[in-house]
């Protein structure tokens, strides 16, 4: 008898979330035990439901899926998290893997590819499409990038980081600067990539660290 794979889904689009749940539930070896729309719900619910595999979106309303992944892995290091996203850029792929994701899928994947990835992750594999794997390999073949200092960020990025260090949420930062919350999230992801961090806390610690003389 096959062992049932317990799956959780974190996706803010109701339509996509329900599609992912349907794909998972139609496979006899998988069962969706939890689904939610935000990182905050995921951080509260995933430890309770104890899934073995999580399908995680990157672009979530407040905390990003990458930061959510990092926090979940600190609490449940054995859990397998697959990013399911539309983004194909190397920075986001690298950030997701550094945060603890075991795989990276694009939302245009087929239901069969999704279920196969869940099974592969459960078995300790690294599920990702060929084009993403090539980008990962290419990034490792390049000279090791040095993390930028806070001073090397653009003025607009430094301002966002300053407001972040004051404890402001994305919406509050957006209101202060006259930006959309989506634009603030985009800037934060760029800041994380440049500073080689994957959470708000790490970014703030780097901002507050003593500057070289």
């Amino acid at each position: 008898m096959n062992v049932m794979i317990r799956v959780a889904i974190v996706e803010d689009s109701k339509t996509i979330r329900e599609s992912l749940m349907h794909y998972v539930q139609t496979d006899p070896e998988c069962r969706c035990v939890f689904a939610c729309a935000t990182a905050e719900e995921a951080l509260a619910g995933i430890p309770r439901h104890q899934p073995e595999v999580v399908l995680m979106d990157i672009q979530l309303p407040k905390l990003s899926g990458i930061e959510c992944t990092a926090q979940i892995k600190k609490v449940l290091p054995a859990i397998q998290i697959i990013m399911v996203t539309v983004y194909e850029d190397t920075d986001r792929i690298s950030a997701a893997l550094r945060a603890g994701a075991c795989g990276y899928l694009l939302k245009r994947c087929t239901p069969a590819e999704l279920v196969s990835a869940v099974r592969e992750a459960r078995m300790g594999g690294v599920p990702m499409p060929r084009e993403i794997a090539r980008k990962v390999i290419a990034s490792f073949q390049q000279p090791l990038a040095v993390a930028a200092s806070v001073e090397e960020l653009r003025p607009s990025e430094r301002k966002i980081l300053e407001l972040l260090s004051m404890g402001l949420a994305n919406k509050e930062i957006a209101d202060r600067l006259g930006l959309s919350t989506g634009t603030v999230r985009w800037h934060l992801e760029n800041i994380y990539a440049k500073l080689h961090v994957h959470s708000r806390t790490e970014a703030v610690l780097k901002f507050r660290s003593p500057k070289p003389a």
Side-chain angles (χ1 to χ4, degrees):
M1 181 177 176
N2 292 328
V3 177
M4 188 71 70
I5 303 171
R6 296 167 58 84
V7 181
I9 296 166
V10 186
E11 166 60 60
D12 64 329
S13 165
K14 182 181 178 182
T15 301
I16 296 175
R17 186 169 65 251
E18 290 179 349
S19 293
L20 294 175
M21 291 171 63
H22 175 70
Y23 298 156
V24 168
Q25 294 286 108
T26 53
D27 186 271
E29 295 183 14
C30 300
R31 180 161 64 97
C32 182
V33 296
F34 178 67
C36 65
T38 69
E40 291 76 14
E41 291 174 291
L43 293 170
I46 285 175
R48 287 203 313 271
H49 293 274
Q50 294 287 311
E52 297 162 288
V53 179
V54 179
L55 301 175
M56 176 77 70
D57 186 22
I58 283 183
Q59 192 82 340
L60 296 171
K62 294 181 181 178
L63 291 181
S64 73
I66 292 174
E67 185 170 359
C68 183
T69 294
Q71 293 193 32
I72 289 171
K73 291 292 286 186
K74 287 178 183 177
V75 179
L76 301 168
I79 202 166
Q80 304 300 311
I81 301 178
I82 304 171
M83 310 309 291
V84 185
T85 179
V86 297
Y87 298 112
E88 301 182 48
D89 57 283
T90 304
D91 285 344
R92 283 190 177 89
I93 297 167
S94 298
L97 296 177
R98 286 199 306 271
C102 73
Y104 200 98
L105 289 180
L106 299 175
K107 286 184 178 178
R108 64 171 183 264
C109 70
T110 66
E113 288 170 337
L114 182 83
V115 171
S116 177
V118 168
R119 292 179 180 174
E120 187 176 350
R122 175 64 180 79
M123 296 299 292
V126 184
M128 61 180 66
R130 191 171 299 158
E131 65 267 31
I132 297 298
R134 286 199 188 103
K135 290 184 178 184
V136 172
I137 292 170
S139 70
F140 279 112
Q141 291 173 339
Q142 294 171 354
L144 187 62
V146 178
S149 67
V150 171
E151 288 72 25
E152 292 176 282
L153 298 176
R154 294 191 304 236
S156 58
E157 292 172 333
R158 289 201 301 273
K159 183 62 179 176
I160 288 174
L161 194 50
E162 179 185 353
L163 295 174
L164 192 72
S165 73
M166 294 165 60
L168 272 64
N170 287 5
K171 186 178 185 310
E172 294 171 312
I173 295 173
D175 291 343
R176 288 273 190 103
L177 300 179
L179 303 172
S180 69
T181 54
T183 299
V184 171
R185 284 198 302 269
W186 179 80
H187 279 301
L188 285 174
E189 288 172 4
N190 287 337
I191 291 168
Y192 295 166
K194 289 180 180 180
L195 298 181
H196 290 192
V197 300
H198 51 247
S199 73
R200 299 167 73 92
T201 301
E202 289 180 8
V204 169
L205 287 174
K206 198 150 193 175
F207 177 78
R208 291 176 175 170
S209 64
K211 309 298 186 291

